[in-house]
Amino acid sequence: MAEAERSDGPRYGVSLLRVHPALWRDVAIEAERAGYESIWMSDHLMLPEEVDREKYPDGELPISSHSPIFDVMVHLAALAAVTTTLRLGTYVYQPALRHPFVAARAVATLDVVSGGRVELGVGAGWSEAEWDLVGVDFARRGELLDETLDVLDGLWTQKSFAYQGAHHEFPSVGFEPKPVQQPRPPLHIGGESAPALRRAAARGGGWIGMHHTPASVAAPLARLRAAERDSGRSRPLQTTVAAHQGAVDAEGWSASGIDRVIVAPWSRSGEALDGLRRFAREHIRPRSE
């Protein structure tokens, strides 16, 4: 099918966060049929039942420890098997919670089996409790993410690669197959803190923000553009945010300067397919051949 675009605004992706996993396959198929550009899945390894509530703004984790959690690369590979053009995004993957060999292999495998459709959103994570469970120092997550990204880049782009850092060290190794997308899948750095914005400007191809409205995204977008100027970037980052649940202000997003908006245009899982079709009819048109 033709790739989707908006003539006067952002590309639209679909969030799997607010729909029952039993419907993910049907949502992916319908999203591609209706002209959405991408589909996005979140990532966690484990969430504890008990947390220090003072460390979270609302006093609890945003998702329950009993919520269904899937391996993001495995499940996106399953969705790749039933689609042909839909981009496959992570919102966001936490590579620093894995050994970089594991993360590099998982991402490369998904890119190969999907024919080069990975959109790799990564972040340093927000759940200190999750990092505690894995036994990794949450306070050092930024530097660990930077080092992990260095290793991923080397494995994906060099015939042989050795590394020596504060957290990882190994002699020269080979890594095959390389990702289909070269030199690497599109890398979108997530987060709105000053370090996250600097990281995105310094090494990302894109930036992923939090859930926003067209009005609320203006402030972090302005900080991002300032970080780009400070870093001396010659090209602006591609920008992606998720729309707040509920009605999407398509006109507002068109004027926002955001390149991609991830939507979930339904209130309950049973309404997901109809919501996708309705939103597509109103806001998405296929690209002219």
Side-chain angles (χ1 to χ4, degrees), residues 28-72:
I29 292 171
E30 183 60 30
E32 181 170 88
R33 189 204 65 77
Y36 291 86
E37 176 253 3
S38 52
I39 197 159
W40 297 78
M41 183 176 170
S42 63
D43 169 56
H44 290 285
L45 286 178
M46 189 64 63
L47 295 173
E49 291 191 335
E50 296 184 6
V51 298
D52 183 350
R53 297 182 180 276
E54 294 183 358
K55 294 181 178 180
Y56 298 92
D58 57 359
E60 60 184 16
L61 289 168
I63 63 174
S64 165
S65 62
H66 294 282
S67 299
I69 297 175
F70 297 89
D71 185 289
V72 63

mmCIF file of all heavy atoms in Angstrom, residues 28-72:
data_model
loop_
_atom_site.group_PDB
_atom_site.id
_atom_site.type_symbol
_atom_site.label_atom_id
_atom_site.label_comp_id
_atom_site.label_asym_id
_atom_site.label_seq_id
_atom_site.Cartn_x
_atom_site.Cartn_y
_atom_site.Cartn_z
ATOM 1 N N ALA A 28 -2.505 -3.564 14.357
ATOM 2 C CA ALA A 28 -1.400 -3.350 13.420
ATOM 3 C C ALA A 28 -1.857 -3.504 11.978
ATOM 4 O O ALA A 28 -1.525 -2.684 11.108
ATOM 5 C CB ALA A 28 -0.261 -4.318 13.729
ATOM 6 N N ILE A 29 -2.620 -4.536 11.705
ATOM 7 C CA ILE A 29 -3.105 -4.777 10.342
ATOM 8 C C ILE A 29 -4.002 -3.631 9.891
ATOM 9 O O ILE A 29 -3.881 -3.117 8.766
ATOM 10 C CB ILE A 29 -3.839 -6.122 10.267
ATOM 11 C CG1 ILE A 29 -2.853 -7.274 10.466
ATOM 12 C CG2 ILE A 29 -4.574 -6.275 8.935
ATOM 13 C CD1 ILE A 29 -3.518 -8.633 10.627
ATOM 14 N N GLU A 30 -4.907 -3.208 10.766
ATOM 15 C CA GLU A 30 -5.817 -2.124 10.406
ATOM 16 C C GLU A 30 -5.087 -0.799 10.276
ATOM 17 O O GLU A 30 -5.418 0.024 9.400
ATOM 18 C CB GLU A 30 -6.929 -2.007 11.449
ATOM 19 C CG GLU A 30 -7.982 -0.949 11.129
ATOM 20 C CD GLU A 30 -8.686 -1.209 9.809
ATOM 21 O OE1 GLU A 30 -8.821 -2.388 9.410
ATOM 22 O OE2 GLU A 30 -9.103 -0.218 9.160
ATOM 23 N N ALA A 31 -4.092 -0.558 11.134
ATOM 24 C CA ALA A 31 -3.330 0.681 11.049
ATOM 25 C C ALA A 31 -2.629 0.793 9.700
ATOM 26 O O ALA A 31 -2.646 1.851 9.059
ATOM 27 C CB ALA A 31 -2.313 0.755 12.179
ATOM 28 N N GLU A 32 -2.031 -0.273 9.244
ATOM 29 C CA GLU A 32 -1.379 -0.249 7.938
ATOM 30 C C GLU A 32 -2.400 -0.055 6.820
ATOM 31 O O GLU A 32 -2.190 0.754 5.900
ATOM 32 C CB GLU A 32 -0.593 -1.537 7.705
ATOM 33 C CG GLU A 32 0.133 -1.571 6.377
ATOM 34 C CD GLU A 32 1.089 -2.726 6.258
ATOM 35 O OE1 GLU A 32 0.652 -3.822 5.814
ATOM 36 O OE2 GLU A 32 2.272 -2.551 6.606
ATOM 37 N N ARG A 33 -3.499 -0.762 6.896
ATOM 38 C CA ARG A 33 -4.525 -0.649 5.859
ATOM 39 C C ARG A 33 -5.079 0.779 5.785
ATOM 40 O O ARG A 33 -5.349 1.299 4.685
ATOM 41 C CB ARG A 33 -5.673 -1.627 6.149
ATOM 42 C CG ARG A 33 -6.688 -1.742 5.012
ATOM 43 C CD ARG A 33 -8.037 -2.202 5.505
ATOM 44 N NE ARG A 33 -8.645 -1.218 6.397
ATOM 45 C CZ ARG A 33 -9.231 -0.099 5.968
ATOM 46 N NH1 ARG A 33 -9.281 0.201 4.680
ATOM 47 N NH2 ARG A 33 -9.761 0.740 6.842
ATOM 48 N N ALA A 34 -5.216 1.414 6.955
ATOM 49 C CA ALA A 34 -5.821 2.740 6.998
ATOM 50 C C ALA A 34 -4.850 3.864 6.662
ATOM 51 O O ALA A 34 -5.272 5.007 6.497
ATOM 52 C CB ALA A 34 -6.428 2.983 8.385
ATOM 53 N N GLY A 35 -3.553 3.562 6.577
ATOM 54 C CA GLY A 35 -2.598 4.568 6.164
ATOM 55 C C GLY A 35 -1.746 5.180 7.250
ATOM 56 O O GLY A 35 -1.040 6.167 6.998
ATOM 57 N N TYR A 36 -1.775 4.631 8.463
ATOM 58 C CA TYR A 36 -0.882 5.128 9.502
ATOM 59 C C TYR A 36 0.561 4.776 9.137
ATOM 60 O O TYR A 36 0.828 3.759 8.494
ATOM 61 C CB TYR A 36 -1.242 4.523 10.856
ATOM 62 C CG TYR A 36 -2.564 5.014 11.401
ATOM 63 C CD1 TYR A 36 -3.760 4.391 11.028
ATOM 64 C CD2 TYR A 36 -2.629 6.080 12.280
ATOM 65 C CE1 TYR A 36 -4.977 4.827 11.516
ATOM 66 C CE2 TYR A 36 -3.850 6.528 12.786
ATOM 67 C CZ TYR A 36 -5.015 5.899 12.399
ATOM 68 O OH TYR A 36 -6.219 6.337 12.871
ATOM 69 N N GLU A 37 1.472 5.602 9.611
ATOM 70 C CA GLU A 37 2.885 5.423 9.251
ATOM 71 C C GLU A 37 3.592 4.396 10.112
ATOM 72 O O GLU A 37 4.524 3.732 9.656
ATOM 73 C CB GLU A 37 3.584 6.793 9.367
ATOM 74 C CG GLU A 37 5.083 6.787 9.113
ATOM 75 C CD GLU A 37 5.906 6.973 10.381
ATOM 76 O OE1 GLU A 37 5.320 7.047 11.487
ATOM 77 O OE2 GLU A 37 7.137 7.038 10.258
ATOM 78 N N SER A 38 3.186 4.243 11.381
ATOM 79 C CA SER A 38 3.976 3.448 12.312
ATOM 80 C C SER A 38 3.113 2.947 13.457
ATOM 81 O O SER A 38 1.986 3.415 13.670
ATOM 82 C CB SER A 38 5.133 4.289 12.875
ATOM 83 O OG SER A 38 4.646 5.517 13.402
ATOM 84 N N ILE A 39 3.684 1.988 14.204
ATOM 85 C CA ILE A 39 3.039 1.480 15.415
ATOM 86 C C ILE A 39 4.106 1.416 16.497
ATOM 87 O O ILE A 39 5.272 1.126 16.220
ATOM 88 C CB ILE A 39 2.385 0.104 15.160
ATOM 89 C CG1 ILE A 39 1.389 -0.233 16.259
ATOM 90 C CG2 ILE A 39 3.417 -1.004 14.979
ATOM 91 C CD1 ILE A 39 0.368 -1.274 15.844
ATOM 92 N N TRP A 40 3.712 1.702 17.771
ATOM 93 C CA TRP A 40 4.697 1.908 18.829
ATOM 94 C C TRP A 40 4.339 1.098 20.070
ATOM 95 O O TRP A 40 3.191 1.081 20.514
ATOM 96 C CB TRP A 40 4.788 3.398 19.169
ATOM 97 C CG TRP A 40 5.282 4.186 17.988
ATOM 98 C CD1 TRP A 40 4.564 4.558 16.889
ATOM 99 C CD2 TRP A 40 6.606 4.660 17.777
ATOM 100 N NE1 TRP A 40 5.358 5.234 16.002
ATOM 101 C CE2 TRP A 40 6.621 5.312 16.529
ATOM 102 C CE3 TRP A 40 7.785 4.603 18.532
ATOM 103 C CZ2 TRP A 40 7.775 5.901 16.010
ATOM 104 C CZ3 TRP A 40 8.926 5.204 18.023
ATOM 105 C CH2 TRP A 40 8.916 5.837 16.779
ATOM 106 N N MET A 41 5.363 0.474 20.638
ATOM 107 C CA MET A 41 5.197 -0.404 21.791
ATOM 108 C C MET A 41 6.189 -0.007 22.875
ATOM 109 O O MET A 41 7.343 0.328 22.593
ATOM 110 C CB MET A 41 5.427 -1.856 21.364
ATOM 111 C CG MET A 41 5.224 -2.891 22.431
ATOM 112 S SD MET A 41 5.415 -4.562 21.728
ATOM 113 C CE MET A 41 5.444 -5.526 23.246
ATOM 114 N N SER A 42 5.751 -0.034 24.140
ATOM 115 C CA SER A 42 6.623 0.346 25.253
ATOM 116 C C SER A 42 7.410 -0.860 25.758
ATOM 117 O O SER A 42 7.154 -2.000 25.369
ATOM 118 C CB SER A 42 5.801 0.958 26.389
ATOM 119 O OG SER A 42 4.898 0.016 26.905
ATOM 120 N N ASP A 43 8.370 -0.594 26.651
ATOM 121 C CA ASP A 43 9.306 -1.631 27.079
ATOM 122 C C ASP A 43 9.540 -1.583 28.583
ATOM 123 O O ASP A 43 9.863 -0.518 29.130
ATOM 124 C CB ASP A 43 10.644 -1.445 26.358
ATOM 125 C CG ASP A 43 11.756 -2.319 26.933
ATOM 126 O OD1 ASP A 43 11.554 -3.543 26.983
ATOM 127 O OD2 ASP A 43 12.810 -1.782 27.322
ATOM 128 N N HIS A 44 9.377 -2.725 29.235
ATOM 129 C CA HIS A 44 9.793 -2.914 30.623
ATOM 130 C C HIS A 44 10.269 -4.350 30.781
ATOM 131 O O HIS A 44 9.807 -5.258 30.071
ATOM 132 C CB HIS A 44 8.653 -2.646 31.610
ATOM 133 C CG HIS A 44 8.276 -1.198 31.709
ATOM 134 N ND1 HIS A 44 9.042 -0.268 32.383
ATOM 135 C CD2 HIS A 44 7.211 -0.513 31.200
ATOM 136 C CE1 HIS A 44 8.466 0.919 32.297
ATOM 137 N NE2 HIS A 44 7.361 0.799 31.580
ATOM 138 N N LEU A 45 11.186 -4.561 31.725
ATOM 139 C CA LEU A 45 11.611 -5.917 32.061
ATOM 140 C C LEU A 45 10.788 -6.478 33.216
ATOM 141 O O LEU A 45 10.316 -7.603 33.170
ATOM 142 C CB LEU A 45 13.095 -5.934 32.432
ATOM 143 C CG LEU A 45 14.086 -5.774 31.287
ATOM 144 C CD1 LEU A 45 15.513 -5.772 31.824
ATOM 145 C CD2 LEU A 45 13.916 -6.889 30.266
ATOM 146 N N MET A 46 10.626 -5.670 34.262
ATOM 147 C CA MET A 46 9.910 -6.122 35.455
ATOM 148 C C MET A 46 9.537 -4.902 36.282
ATOM 149 O O MET A 46 10.275 -3.922 36.333
ATOM 150 C CB MET A 46 10.805 -7.053 36.291
ATOM 151 C CG MET A 46 10.095 -7.744 37.438
ATOM 152 S SD MET A 46 8.794 -8.869 36.869
ATOM 153 C CE MET A 46 9.765 -10.069 35.947
ATOM 154 N N LEU A 47 8.372 -4.966 36.924
ATOM 155 C CA LEU A 47 7.942 -3.896 37.817
ATOM 156 C C LEU A 47 7.581 -4.491 39.175
ATOM 157 O O LEU A 47 6.877 -5.500 39.243
ATOM 158 C CB LEU A 47 6.737 -3.157 37.227
ATOM 159 C CG LEU A 47 7.000 -2.404 35.921
ATOM 160 C CD1 LEU A 47 5.699 -1.865 35.345
ATOM 161 C CD2 LEU A 47 7.987 -1.265 36.146
ATOM 162 N N PRO A 48 8.057 -3.891 40.249
ATOM 163 C CA PRO A 48 7.814 -4.451 41.587
ATOM 164 C C PRO A 48 6.397 -4.154 42.069
ATOM 165 O O PRO A 48 5.736 -3.235 41.601
ATOM 166 C CB PRO A 48 8.846 -3.739 42.451
ATOM 167 C CG PRO A 48 8.979 -2.409 41.793
ATOM 168 C CD PRO A 48 8.867 -2.669 40.310
ATOM 169 N N GLU A 49 5.951 -4.928 43.034
ATOM 170 C CA GLU A 49 4.642 -4.677 43.631
ATOM 171 C C GLU A 49 4.712 -3.561 44.664
ATOM 172 O O GLU A 49 3.727 -2.858 44.887
ATOM 173 C CB GLU A 49 4.103 -5.960 44.270
ATOM 174 C CG GLU A 49 3.720 -7.027 43.252
ATOM 175 C CD GLU A 49 2.943 -8.166 43.886
ATOM 176 O OE1 GLU A 49 3.099 -8.388 45.103
ATOM 177 O OE2 GLU A 49 2.174 -8.826 43.167
ATOM 178 N N GLU A 50 5.865 -3.389 45.302
ATOM 179 C CA GLU A 50 6.018 -2.349 46.306
ATOM 180 C C GLU A 50 7.067 -1.348 45.839
ATOM 181 O O GLU A 50 8.150 -1.728 45.401
ATOM 182 C CB GLU A 50 6.436 -2.956 47.653
ATOM 183 C CG GLU A 50 5.386 -3.892 48.243
ATOM 184 C CD GLU A 50 5.774 -4.411 49.613
ATOM 185 O OE1 GLU A 50 6.815 -3.937 50.145
ATOM 186 O OE2 GLU A 50 5.072 -5.268 50.149
ATOM 187 N N VAL A 51 6.726 -0.055 45.926
ATOM 188 C CA VAL A 51 7.650 0.999 45.511
ATOM 189 C C VAL A 51 7.681 2.085 46.579
ATOM 190 O O VAL A 51 6.778 2.191 47.413
ATOM 191 C CB VAL A 51 7.229 1.624 44.160
ATOM 192 C CG1 VAL A 51 7.250 0.585 43.060
ATOM 193 C CG2 VAL A 51 5.851 2.275 44.258
ATOM 194 N N ASP A 52 8.736 2.891 46.547
ATOM 195 C CA ASP A 52 8.816 4.069 47.396
ATOM 196 C C ASP A 52 7.974 5.154 46.739
ATOM 197 O O ASP A 52 8.380 5.785 45.766
ATOM 198 C CB ASP A 52 10.278 4.511 47.510
ATOM 199 C CG ASP A 52 10.446 5.708 48.448
ATOM 200 O OD1 ASP A 52 9.412 6.300 48.838
ATOM 201 O OD2 ASP A 52 11.595 6.056 48.768
ATOM 202 N N ARG A 53 6.781 5.356 47.250
ATOM 203 C CA ARG A 53 5.822 6.249 46.594
ATOM 204 C C ARG A 53 6.303 7.695 46.536
ATOM 205 O O ARG A 53 5.850 8.466 45.688
ATOM 206 C CB ARG A 53 4.463 6.158 47.297
ATOM 207 C CG ARG A 53 3.847 4.761 47.198
ATOM 208 C CD ARG A 53 2.489 4.695 47.850
ATOM 209 N NE ARG A 53 1.934 3.341 47.743
ATOM 210 C CZ ARG A 53 1.286 2.880 46.689
ATOM 211 N NH1 ARG A 53 1.125 3.654 45.640
ATOM 212 N NH2 ARG A 53 0.814 1.641 46.664
ATOM 213 N N GLU A 54 7.217 8.085 47.410
ATOM 214 C CA GLU A 54 7.712 9.458 47.392
ATOM 215 C C GLU A 54 8.560 9.749 46.158
ATOM 216 O O GLU A 54 8.822 10.908 45.839
ATOM 217 C CB GLU A 54 8.522 9.734 48.658
ATOM 218 C CG GLU A 54 7.689 9.706 49.936
ATOM 219 C CD GLU A 54 8.510 10.061 51.161
ATOM 220 O OE1 GLU A 54 9.732 10.285 50.995
ATOM 221 O OE2 GLU A 54 7.936 10.113 52.258
ATOM 222 N N LYS A 55 8.991 8.704 45.450
ATOM 223 C CA LYS A 55 9.851 8.899 44.287
ATOM 224 C C LYS A 55 9.064 9.091 42.999
ATOM 225 O O LYS A 55 9.656 9.294 41.940
ATOM 226 C CB LYS A 55 10.799 7.707 44.130
ATOM 227 C CG LYS A 55 11.802 7.579 45.263
ATOM 228 C CD LYS A 55 12.731 6.400 45.042
ATOM 229 C CE LYS A 55 13.767 6.315 46.172
ATOM 230 N NZ LYS A 55 14.690 5.160 45.983
ATOM 231 N N TYR A 56 7.710 9.014 43.090
ATOM 232 C CA TYR A 56 6.895 9.142 41.888
ATOM 233 C C TYR A 56 5.877 10.259 42.098
ATOM 234 O O TYR A 56 5.268 10.359 43.169
ATOM 235 C CB TYR A 56 6.199 7.819 41.573
ATOM 236 C CG TYR A 56 7.200 6.720 41.303
ATOM 237 C CD1 TYR A 56 7.642 5.891 42.332
ATOM 238 C CD2 TYR A 56 7.734 6.549 40.036
ATOM 239 C CE1 TYR A 56 8.587 4.910 42.094
ATOM 240 C CE2 TYR A 56 8.680 5.567 39.791
ATOM 241 C CZ TYR A 56 9.105 4.750 40.826
ATOM 242 O OH TYR A 56 10.048 3.783 40.589
ATOM 243 N N PRO A 57 5.684 11.110 41.087
ATOM 244 C CA PRO A 57 4.832 12.303 41.248
ATOM 245 C C PRO A 57 3.427 12.006 41.737
ATOM 246 O O PRO A 57 2.877 12.742 42.539
ATOM 247 C CB PRO A 57 4.815 12.899 39.835
ATOM 248 C CG PRO A 57 6.079 12.418 39.202
ATOM 249 C CD PRO A 57 6.309 11.045 39.760
ATOM 250 N N ASP A 58 2.827 10.912 41.256
ATOM 251 C CA ASP A 58 1.458 10.612 41.660
ATOM 252 C C ASP A 58 1.397 9.560 42.758
ATOM 253 O O ASP A 58 0.337 9.036 43.072
ATOM 254 C CB ASP A 58 0.632 10.163 40.454
ATOM 255 C CG ASP A 58 1.241 8.967 39.754
ATOM 256 O OD1 ASP A 58 2.315 8.496 40.209
ATOM 257 O OD2 ASP A 58 0.651 8.483 38.772
ATOM 258 N N GLY A 59 2.556 9.222 43.316
ATOM 259 C CA GLY A 59 2.586 8.281 44.415
ATOM 260 C C GLY A 59 2.567 6.828 44.020
ATOM 261 O O GLY A 59 2.519 5.951 44.894
ATOM 262 N N GLU A 60 2.608 6.527 42.738
ATOM 263 C CA GLU A 60 2.608 5.139 42.301
ATOM 264 C C GLU A 60 3.162 5.038 40.895
ATOM 265 O O GLU A 60 3.279 6.036 40.171
ATOM 266 C CB GLU A 60 1.196 4.552 42.327
ATOM 267 C CG GLU A 60 0.213 5.274 41.446
ATOM 268 C CD GLU A 60 -1.192 4.731 41.564
ATOM 269 O OE1 GLU A 60 -1.470 4.011 42.537
ATOM 270 O OE2 GLU A 60 -2.009 5.031 40.680
ATOM 271 N N LEU A 61 3.519 3.824 40.489
ATOM 272 C CA LEU A 61 3.985 3.606 39.129
ATOM 273 C C LEU A 61 2.844 3.867 38.151
ATOM 274 O O LEU A 61 1.689 3.545 38.446
ATOM 275 C CB LEU A 61 4.484 2.171 38.955
ATOM 276 C CG LEU A 61 5.794 1.811 39.655
ATOM 277 C CD1 LEU A 61 5.999 0.304 39.630
ATOM 278 C CD2 LEU A 61 6.969 2.502 39.010
ATOM 279 N N PRO A 62 3.150 4.431 36.982
ATOM 280 C CA PRO A 62 2.085 4.704 36.010
ATOM 281 C C PRO A 62 1.382 3.451 35.517
ATOM 282 O O PRO A 62 0.244 3.532 35.063
ATOM 283 C CB PRO A 62 2.830 5.402 34.866
ATOM 284 C CG PRO A 62 4.036 5.989 35.511
ATOM 285 C CD PRO A 62 4.426 5.009 36.577
ATOM 286 N N ILE A 63 2.047 2.296 35.555
ATOM 287 C CA ILE A 63 1.402 1.041 35.182
ATOM 288 C C ILE A 63 1.551 0.049 36.327
ATOM 289 O O ILE A 63 2.477 0.137 37.117
ATOM 290 C CB ILE A 63 1.966 0.446 33.879
ATOM 291 C CG1 ILE A 63 3.449 0.094 34.047
ATOM 292 C CG2 ILE A 63 1.773 1.391 32.720
ATOM 293 C CD1 ILE A 63 4.025 -0.633 32.842
ATOM 294 N N SER A 64 0.636 -0.895 36.389
ATOM 295 C CA SER A 64 0.620 -1.876 37.465
ATOM 296 C C SER A 64 1.684 -2.947 37.251
ATOM 297 O O SER A 64 2.026 -3.294 36.123
ATOM 298 C CB SER A 64 -0.762 -2.538 37.535
ATOM 299 O OG SER A 64 -0.723 -3.706 38.326
ATOM 300 N N SER A 65 2.195 -3.475 38.354
ATOM 301 C CA SER A 65 3.155 -4.576 38.267
ATOM 302 C C SER A 65 2.518 -5.838 37.696
ATOM 303 O O SER A 65 3.219 -6.761 37.292
ATOM 304 C CB SER A 65 3.730 -4.875 39.655
ATOM 305 O OG SER A 65 2.698 -5.280 40.543
ATOM 306 N N HIS A 66 1.189 -5.876 37.649
ATOM 307 C CA HIS A 66 0.487 -7.028 37.089
ATOM 308 C C HIS A 66 0.000 -6.784 35.657
ATOM 309 O O HIS A 66 -0.730 -7.609 35.098
ATOM 310 C CB HIS A 66 -0.692 -7.407 37.987
ATOM 311 C CG HIS A 66 -0.269 -7.904 39.344
ATOM 312 N ND1 HIS A 66 0.215 -9.174 39.563
ATOM 313 C CD2 HIS A 66 -0.222 -7.270 40.548
ATOM 314 C CE1 HIS A 66 0.522 -9.316 40.844
ATOM 315 N NE2 HIS A 66 0.272 -8.173 41.459
ATOM 316 N N SER A 67 0.413 -5.659 35.070
ATOM 317 C CA SER A 67 0.077 -5.408 33.667
ATOM 318 C C SER A 67 0.820 -6.394 32.771
ATOM 319 O O SER A 67 1.969 -6.755 33.059
ATOM 320 C CB SER A 67 0.462 -3.978 33.273
ATOM 321 O OG SER A 67 -0.222 -3.028 34.049
ATOM 322 N N PRO A 68 0.191 -6.857 31.683
ATOM 323 C CA PRO A 68 0.907 -7.748 30.758
ATOM 324 C C PRO A 68 2.111 -7.026 30.154
ATOM 325 O O PRO A 68 1.992 -5.910 29.659
ATOM 326 C CB PRO A 68 -0.142 -8.052 29.682
ATOM 327 C CG PRO A 68 -1.458 -7.761 30.314
ATOM 328 C CD PRO A 68 -1.206 -6.635 31.271
ATOM 329 N N ILE A 69 3.280 -7.655 30.232
ATOM 330 C CA ILE A 69 4.510 -7.092 29.675
ATOM 331 C C ILE A 69 5.099 -8.112 28.716
ATOM 332 O O ILE A 69 5.295 -9.271 29.075
ATOM 333 C CB ILE A 69 5.527 -6.749 30.778
ATOM 334 C CG1 ILE A 69 4.963 -5.661 31.700
ATOM 335 C CG2 ILE A 69 6.848 -6.293 30.180
ATOM 336 C CD1 ILE A 69 5.857 -5.354 32.897
ATOM 337 N N PHE A 70 5.383 -7.685 27.498
ATOM 338 C CA PHE A 70 5.938 -8.571 26.484
ATOM 339 C C PHE A 70 7.338 -8.101 26.102
ATOM 340 O O PHE A 70 7.672 -6.922 26.233
ATOM 341 C CB PHE A 70 5.056 -8.579 25.234
ATOM 342 C CG PHE A 70 3.676 -9.116 25.473
ATOM 343 C CD1 PHE A 70 2.648 -8.273 25.867
ATOM 344 C CD2 PHE A 70 3.405 -10.469 25.323
ATOM 345 C CE1 PHE A 70 1.370 -8.757 26.090
ATOM 346 C CE2 PHE A 70 2.136 -10.974 25.555
ATOM 347 C CZ PHE A 70 1.107 -10.114 25.941
ATOM 348 N N ASP A 71 8.143 -9.018 25.606
ATOM 349 C CA ASP A 71 9.415 -8.621 25.018
ATOM 350 C C ASP A 71 9.128 -7.811 23.763
ATOM 351 O O ASP A 71 8.524 -8.301 22.813
ATOM 352 C CB ASP A 71 10.253 -9.860 24.671
ATOM 353 C CG ASP A 71 11.629 -9.484 24.173
ATOM 354 O OD1 ASP A 71 11.720 -8.963 23.039
ATOM 355 O OD2 ASP A 71 12.612 -9.713 24.888
ATOM 356 N N VAL A 72 9.552 -6.547 23.771
ATOM 357 C CA VAL A 72 9.142 -5.628 22.720
ATOM 358 C C VAL A 72 9.648 -6.061 21.348
ATOM 359 O O VAL A 72 8.922 -5.960 20.345
ATOM 360 C CB VAL A 72 9.600 -4.194 23.067
ATOM 361 C CG1 VAL A 72 11.103 -4.076 23.148
ATOM 362 C CG2 VAL A 72 9.039 -3.188 22.082
#
